[in-house]
Structure formats: C-alpha cells, structure tokens
C-alpha cells in the first residue's frame, strides 16, 4: 500500500525533501535557545554582566529569527508537496476509473468513488503534510531535547523515560481501538453521499410524489450513522489529551521537587533548571505531536486503503499483446455464447447464443424485461466479455481487437441517454471531435434532431444543462443518436433509444438509416413492434435464450411470443384510433 501511494509523489519529491530539511534547521535552532537562556541567567543576570546579557539576547533573537524562517519555508514546501500529492492521487484514481470495464464499475458505487476522490484523498493529504513536517519535527525535538536534558542532569532526565513508556502504551491502545471504527465511518460516508446523489438526480420524481419528508428522513439516518461512529471514535481519542496532561504535570512536579533539592545541594544551577523546564515542555509537546500524528495516521489509514483499492484495481477487459486495429466490415457472429455478470457464476444471463448478422443488415431485438437484450449487444463492443464462447466482428474475435479501434467502429446509444453540460455542438462532437458544422447538421437531420435544434434561439450553440435537464426525453434521445452517427461506425446499436419519440419520428429515423447508411449494420432494441417490423431479421429473446429468429411475417406465424406482443400492441392502437 505504502509503495503505491509514494509512487504518486512524482514531481513533488524535491518539495517533500525540502520540507523536512528546513524542519531540521528549525528544530536545531529551538534546541539551542534554552541553553542561551540558561547562560543569560547564570553568566549574565547572577554576575550582573549587562554586556553578556545583551550579547546572548541578540544571539537568541538571531537564532529565533532563523528558526522562524526555517519553519515558514518548511510549511511552504510541505503545503506544496501535500497538495501536489493529493492532485496526483486523484488523477491516478480518475485515470484508472476511465479504464474500468462495466464489471469493474459495478464493483464500486458512484458515491463510493466520489468519497474516495474527495474525503479520502483530503485525509491522506493532511496526513502526508503532517508526516513530512511533524514526523520529522517531533522525533528530532524529542531526541535533541532528551540529549540536552541528559547533558544537564542524567538523574532528572529519567523522569521522562517513565512518561514515554506510559504514553506509548496509551497510544497503542487508542490506535488499536479506533482504526476499525474509522474503517466503518468511511463506508457510512459512501451511504451518505449515495443518499445525496440519488436525491439530487431524482429531485423531480421526489417532488412529483411528495416524498421530501421520506428523503429527509433517509438522509438524516445516513448522517446520524456517520455522527454516531465519529462520536464513538472521539470518545476513545479524547483519552489522548488527559493522558498527555497527566504525564506533563507529573513530570513538572517531580522535576520541580527534585530540581529544588539539587540546587540547594549545588548539583544544579538556577539557569540549568530553567532550561530543563523548557526541555520538559519541548519533550512533552513532541510526545503530544506524535500522539496526534498517530491519531491522524490511524484515521487516514482507512482512507489510504480505499484509495489504493481503486488505483490497483485492474480492468477485467484489456488489449491483447498484438491487437488488430482494422475492422473491415460490420458483420457479427455469436458462437455458442454464455454470459454471466460475475465470472465465477454459472447462472448465465445469456445461454447458448448462436447468431450470424451480415454487414449492413438491420436487426431488431424484442423481448420482455430481463430477457438480456442489453446484455447481448454490450458484448459486441466488449463492454463486457463473454463467459464462454466468442463474439466475432468481421470474422475476428472481439478480444483480438484493439479496444479503441473496436469501440470507434461500434456506436452504441444506451438505454439511459446521457448529455453533458455544454453546448449542443460540444455534446455532438463527443462522437467526432473533428466534425465540421456540416457533418453535425447532417447527423442531426438523420436523427430527426435538426428541426427542433433550429427552433432554439441559439441553435446548435444552445447550452445543455447537466444531464440534459433542459431538453425533453425525445430530444435527448435524438441528440444521442446524432452523436453516435458522427462516429461513422460500421455497427450502430440503438438500445431502446427511440422509446420517447413518437411513431412518426421513429419511422423517419429508420427510413433515414435505411437510405443514408445502408452499409452500416444496425441493431435496434425496442419494445415496440412498429420500430423493428421492417428489419431484415428480428430476434426474439426470452430469459437469455434466443426463442426465435425471422422476419416480421415469419415470426407472426412461428413465434407465439412475438405474435402475442404484436396483437396486444395492435389492439391498443385500434382502441386509440376508435377513440
């Protein structure tokens, strides 16, 4: 885990080294100051030597100024290094997420990934800054102050050893108790973020069903769970400060008592006792810093584990060693395909699928909810890999292709249409970033989107809100189809992508496909028979198995499922006409 994290320090290694180096200078200066203070008392004040007082006083001022300068520079470079480290961690996670297959994405919740990219990274950032400053300052100050204290009076210095043993035991018990609690806290953070995300995304549905009170209660419960775990952790962590204060005041009392006796017996001077008290404070403050550092590391350890989990997650789908980059045509073949979402599962979503599609054909897919229509087409661009068997495009197993080349030739409009914040042009150019305005317009005309776009005051420069909330469902679907067409793919897959458009527009889109892109293989998933009845072949899926294949006329004769769907939809249409 530590190696994975440190690999992301990268260009901030110099800053990460400068911060502790300057901290060494700051500590060295601070250790010298108590010695000078003792000299002022013993050599200056007690001997009434004003020149000595002034000389040592000026020396203390210079050393204090150097200490301040070193401290400021250490803080500057520590801030730069920790912020840069956090930036690299976020980038490493985000870059790896982009390579995730659908099965990898299924493993992590969206809210969980957001928590890891924000809260968890911030925790690790704070700990890293503390490590390169406090982890250097506290041990150095502890060792330096202890060494100086032993040089003044070994007898008095043994008081510290007892305090160190006591505090080490307390810290160990605190860490052992708190770490599992923080691990649970961040899981509850995921639930909290999930509640917020779901509510914001579905706010229109919440208001439509007047479920605000229910959502508030759900959020309150998620927030309360985080609160309860934090309180549970804090109840243990608060033992840290009383323990520190107990050790500090015990040391001060013992040293005051023993030191007074030693001054009376001339074993110790007044100045040495004064400097000894300063070293007491330095030692105990160092111990306090170390205890705080351990608490912070304990908290961030859980975050670090979650971050590393994302960075080290390997995509289930990757390029072969010598990938094929050229896809000659849009022919597709499913050869005895079985598929399950989990590798180890034998409960296949698709079973014994054998299917051949010629390049340029229009294929319709019909089936009830849960019949694995989407699963079938998602195997073509390798959004998932088959469990057994093979899927071939242009006669070659899709696992032998370069992923980018394959997906460039397979344009897919998913069930859930997604538009991004930006202009219509910017959204369309997701299909082809170099597309000209003429190509944009042509694609939109094919998708029957040009007409409504031109009705907007800003036309193709109309700004689309996040998620496409300022356009209708049908408009969103047509824009997504146009975006897919801009890829000029050899295979076009529409996964129930015209469900929100009227039947006339649906018919015009299919006619445009037939006339304008005859060489592109078109696969249309639809619940409406009218959307697929003129396809070259129609596939009827039932619980992950191909029930029937044929033309509209053939299926009306040979497929009970297809005939039942057709008749039920025609009855509905007849009723609408009679009304």
């Amino acid at each position: 885990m530590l190696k994975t994290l440190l690999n992301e320090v990268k260009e901030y290694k110099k800053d990460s080294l400068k911060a502790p180096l300057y901290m060494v200078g700051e500590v060295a200066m601070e250790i010298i100051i108590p010695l000078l203070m003792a000299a002022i008392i013993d050599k200056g004040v007690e001997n009434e030597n004003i020149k000595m007082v002034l000389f040592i006083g000026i020396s203390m001022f210079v050393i204090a100024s150097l200490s301040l300068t070193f401290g400021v520079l250490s803080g500057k470079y520590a801030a730069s290094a920790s912020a840069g480290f956090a930036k690299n961690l976020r980038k490493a996670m985000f870059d790896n997420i982009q390579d995730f297959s659908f099965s990898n994405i299924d493993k992590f919740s969206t809210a969980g990934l957001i928590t890891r990219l924000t809260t968890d990274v911030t925790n690790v950032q704070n700990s890293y800054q503390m490590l390169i400053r406090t982890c250097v300052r506290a041990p150095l100050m502890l060792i330096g102050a202890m060494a100086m204290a032993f040089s003044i009076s070994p007898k008095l210095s043994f008081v510290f050893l007892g305090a160190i043993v006591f505090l080490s035991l307390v810290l160990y018990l605190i860490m052992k108790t708190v770490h599992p609690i923080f691990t649970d806290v961040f899981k509850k953070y995921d639930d909290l973020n999930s509640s917020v995300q779901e509510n914001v995304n579905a706010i229109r549905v919440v208001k439509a069903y007047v479920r605000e009170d229910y959502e508030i209660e759900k959020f309150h419960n998620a927030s309360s769970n985080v609160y309860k775990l934090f309180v549970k952790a804090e109840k243990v962590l608060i033992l840290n400060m009383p323990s520190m204060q107990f050790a500090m005041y015990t040391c001060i009392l013992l040293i005051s008592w023993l030191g007074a006796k030693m001054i009376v017996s001339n074993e110790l001077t007044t100045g040495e006792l004064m400097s000894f008290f300063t070293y007491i404070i330095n030692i105990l403050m160092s111990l306090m810093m170390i205890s705080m550092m351990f608490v912070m590391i304990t908290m961030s350890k859980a975050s670090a584990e979650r971050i590393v989990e994302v960075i080290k997650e390997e995509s289930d789908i990757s390029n072969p060693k010598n990938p094929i980059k050229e896809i000659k045509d849009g022919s597709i073949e499913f050869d005895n395909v079985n598929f399950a979402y989990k590798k180890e599962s034998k409960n296949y979503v698709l079973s014994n699928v054998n299917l051949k599609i010629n390049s340029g054909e229009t294929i319709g897919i019909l089936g009830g909810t849960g019949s694995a229509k989407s699963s079938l087409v998602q195997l073509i661009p390798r959004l998932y890999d088959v469990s057994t068997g093979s899927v071939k495009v242009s006669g070659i197993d899709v696992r032998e292709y370069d992923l980018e080349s394959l997906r460039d030739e397979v344009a897919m409009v998913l069930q859930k249409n997604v538009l991004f914040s930006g202009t219509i042009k910017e959204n369309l150019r997701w299909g082809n970033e170099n597309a000209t305005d003429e190509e944009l317009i042509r694609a939109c005309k094919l998708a029957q989107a040009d007409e409504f776009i031109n009705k907007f005051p800003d036309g193709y420069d109309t700004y689309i809100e996040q998620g496409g909330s300022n356009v209708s469902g049908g408009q969103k679907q047509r824009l997504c189809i146009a975006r897919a067409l801009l890829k000029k793919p050899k295979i076009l897959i529409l996964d129930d992508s015209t469900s929100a458009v009227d039947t006339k527009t649906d018919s015009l889109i299919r006619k445009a496909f037939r006339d304008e892109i005859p060489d592109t293989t078109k696969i249309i998933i639809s619940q409406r028979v009218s959307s697929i009845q003129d396809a070259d072949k129609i596939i009827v899926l039932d619980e992950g198995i191909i029930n029937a294949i044929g033309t509209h006329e053939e299926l009306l004769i040979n497929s009970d499922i297809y005939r039942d769907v057709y008749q039920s939809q025609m009855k509905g249409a007849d009723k609408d006409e009679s009304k």
Side-chain angles (χ1 to χ4, degrees), residues 104-353:
N104 292 116
I105 293 168
D106 293 341
K107 181 178 175 181
F108 299 96
S109 68
T110 304
L113 289 172
I114 291 170
T115 305
R116 292 165 204 247
L117 283 160
T118 52
T119 305
D120 287 326
V121 171
T122 301
N123 286 338
V124 172
Q125 176 185 345
N126 292 337
S127 291
Y128 186 69
Q129 185 170 6
M130 187 176 280
L131 278 169
I132 57 179
R133 292 197 73 207
T134 310
C135 269
V136 173
R137 177 186 173 82
L140 277 178
M141 181 61 79
L142 181 64
I143 294 166
M146 284 288 289
M148 298 307 295
F150 267 98
S151 69
I152 294 170
S153 174
K155 187 191 292 185
L156 282 179
S157 300
F158 279 107
V159 173
F160 298 131
L161 295 179
I164 290 170
V165 171
F166 168 72
L167 289 173
S168 298
L169 180 62
V170 171
L171 280 176
Y172 170 74
L173 293 173
I174 288 174
M175 285 184 65
K176 188 177 179 181
T177 307
V178 166
H179 178 66
I181 299 174
F182 279 124
T183 302
D184 291 338
V185 162
F186 294 115
K187 290 178 182 177
K188 295 301 179 183
Y189 257 128
D190 290 349
D191 295 339
L192 181 66
N193 285 341
S194 179
S195 175
V196 174
Q197 181 193 17
E198 188 177 52
N199 179 267
V200 172
N201 286 341
I203 192 67
R204 289 172 175 79
V205 178
V206 172
K207 290 185 177 298
Y209 284 87
V210 199
R211 297 286 281 175
E212 291 91 342
D213 290 342
Y214 171 79
E215 287 295 313
I216 290 168
E217 181 64 24
K218 188 169 75 172
F219 175 81
H220 176 73
N221 290 336
S223 184
S224 294
N225 288 333
V226 174
Y227 164 78
K228 287 172 185 175
L229 283 171
F230 263 120
V231 168
K232 186 178 179 181
E234 289 295 334
K235 283 180 179 177
V236 179
L237 290 175
I238 55 172
L239 296 174
N240 183 45
M241 187 57 70
S243 302
M244 288 298 308
Q245 289 178 336
F246 173 77
M248 181 184 290
Y249 292 131
T250 301
C251 285
I252 290 172
L253 286 170
L254 286 173
I255 288 169
S256 298
W257 180 59
L258 293 172
K261 283 188 172 185
M262 292 174 74
I263 289 173
V264 171
S265 60
N266 293 322
E267 294 178 63
L268 199 68
T269 67
T270 305
E272 286 174 335
L273 183 60
M274 289 295 293
S275 62
F276 211 91
F277 276 123
T278 305
Y279 287 129
I280 290 174
I281 302 300
N282 286 341
I283 290 168
L284 294 176
M285 287 300 293
S286 297
L287 288 171
M288 188 176 291
M289 285 182 190
I290 290 171
S291 70
M292 289 171 62
M293 182 180 67
F294 275 114
V295 168
M296 191 69 193
I297 289 171
T298 302
M299 184 188 297
S300 63
K301 186 185 174 188
S303 292
E305 288 167 351
R306 286 157 54 84
I307 290 168
V308 170
E309 187 181 6
V310 175
I311 293 175
K312 294 187 77 173
E313 177 76 12
E314 293 183 6
S315 177
D316 294 337
I317 296 175
S318 58
N319 270 340
K321 287 185 178 179
N322 298 302
I324 299 168
K325 294 193 174 183
E326 184 184 357
I327 297 164
K328 295 177 180 178
D329 59 46
S331 62
I332 303 166
E333 182 181 352
F334 286 77
D335 184 10
N336 199 30
V337 167
N338 292 303
F339 169 68
Y341 283 104
K342 293 183 178 179
K343 288 183 179 180
E344 63 278 4
S345 176
K346 295 298 179 184
N347 295 321
Y348 293 129
V349 176
L350 289 164
S351 300
N352 302 318
V353 176

Side-chain angles (χ1 to χ4, degrees), residues 444-456:
C444 287
K445 283 181 177 178
L446 287 175
Q448 305 301 309
D450 180 66
E451 185 180 352
F452 79 76
I453 291 172
N454 286 321
K455 289 180 181 178
F456 292 139

Side-chain angles (χ1 to χ4, degrees), residues 294-457:
F294 275 114
V295 168
M296 191 69 193
I297 289 171
T298 302
M299 184 188 297
S300 63
K301 186 185 174 188
S303 292
E305 288 167 351
R306 286 157 54 84
I307 290 168
V308 170
E309 187 181 6
V310 175
I311 293 175
K312 294 187 77 173
E313 177 76 12
E314 293 183 6
S315 177
D316 294 337
I317 296 175
S318 58
N319 270 340
K321 287 185 178 179
N322 298 302
I324 299 168
K325 294 193 174 183
E326 184 184 357
I327 297 164
K328 295 177 180 178
D329 59 46
S331 62
I332 303 166
E333 182 181 352
F334 286 77
D335 184 10
N336 199 30
V337 167
N338 292 303
F339 169 68
Y341 283 104
K342 293 183 178 179
K343 288 183 179 180
E344 63 278 4
S345 176
K346 295 298 179 184
N347 295 321
Y348 293 129
V349 176
L350 289 164
S351 300
N352 302 318
V353 176
N354 289 282
L355 176 65
K356 285 188 178 181
I357 299 171
N358 297 320
S359 184
E361 279 190 322
T362 299
I363 304 298
I365 300 179
L366 184 79
T369 302
S371 59
K373 303 184 295 297
S374 297
S375 301
L376 179 75
V377 295
Q378 285 173 0
L379 298 175
I380 298 170
R382 283 195 77 194
L383 298 178
Y384 291 99
D385 267 341
V386 298
S387 300
T388 64
S390 65
V391 177
K392 298 175 183 176
V393 170
S394 189
I396 298 171
D397 193 316
V398 292
R399 289 169 289 194
E400 296 181 30
Y401 282 116
D402 173 68
L403 269 174
E404 187 174 338
S405 301
L406 174 66
R407 290 173 183 173
D408 272 342
E409 296 294 355
V410 182
M412 190 167 184
V413 185
L414 299 169
Q415 275 182 322
K416 186 178 180 182
N417 298 287
V418 177
L419 294 175
F420 299 89
S421 52
T423 64
I424 289 176
K425 281 184 180 179
E426 289 169 346
N427 270 277
L428 292 172
R429 285 196 170 107
W430 273 67
N432 179 2
E433 60 183 354
N434 299 314
T436 63
D437 287 353
E438 290 74 20
E439 288 174 320
L440 297 181
I441 293 168
R442 181 177 180 274
C444 287
K445 283 181 177 178
L446 287 175
Q448 305 301 309
D450 180 66
E451 185 180 352
F452 79 76
I453 291 172
N454 286 321
K455 289 180 181 178
F456 292 139

